[in-house]
Amino acid sequence: MNSSMGGAHLLTQEDRDLLVLLAECTSDEQIARRALMSVRTVRRRIARIMALLSVNNRYALGIAVSSLDLVAYREGADKALVGSARP
């Protein structure tokens, strides 16, 4: 079992939505504006997700998210990132 897989089942839909924003946005400030939360809350929640997936940096988080299929593209004309690739 992959060490980052251990906490994946603990991710909430809000966590998955935040992962989508992390993939789409270029800064924590932009994520905060789109998620209607403070930058501090964004950073705290990203740190929590990183801890759940046992990763130390955002690059490793991206690899874990990709390998676990936690964020994927929705098919169709409105192709967009979605945070529920795997329940």
Side-chain angles (χ1 to χ4, degrees):
M1 180 157 119
N2 185 335
S3 64
S4 63
M5 193 176 291
H9 69 283
L10 298 174
L11 295 177
T12 66
Q13 185 59 48
E14 286 180 339
D15 293 333
R16 293 168 188 267
D17 294 342
L18 187 63
L19 289 172
V20 169
L21 291 176
L22 188 61
E24 293 178 341
C25 298
T26 57
S27 69
D28 291 347
E29 291 77 12
Q30 189 179 26
I31 294 169
R33 280 193 302 274
R34 289 188 51 193
L36 303 175
M37 61 181 66
S38 73
V39 173
R40 183 175 178 162
T41 299
V42 167
R43 290 178 180 154
R44 181 182 48 80
R45 290 186 57 202
I46 290 171
R48 177 187 164 275
I49 293 168
M50 289 171 56
L52 285 173
L53 298 180
S54 302
V55 297
N56 319 40
N57 59 61
R58 290 181 183 211
Y59 180 79
L61 177 61
I63 292 172
V65 166
S66 176
S67 68
L68 296 171
D69 291 331
L70 297 175
V71 174
Y73 277 100
R74 177 175 50 219
E75 295 301 320
D78 62 341
K79 191 172 186 178
L81 284 170
V82 292
S84 56
R86 189 182 288 178

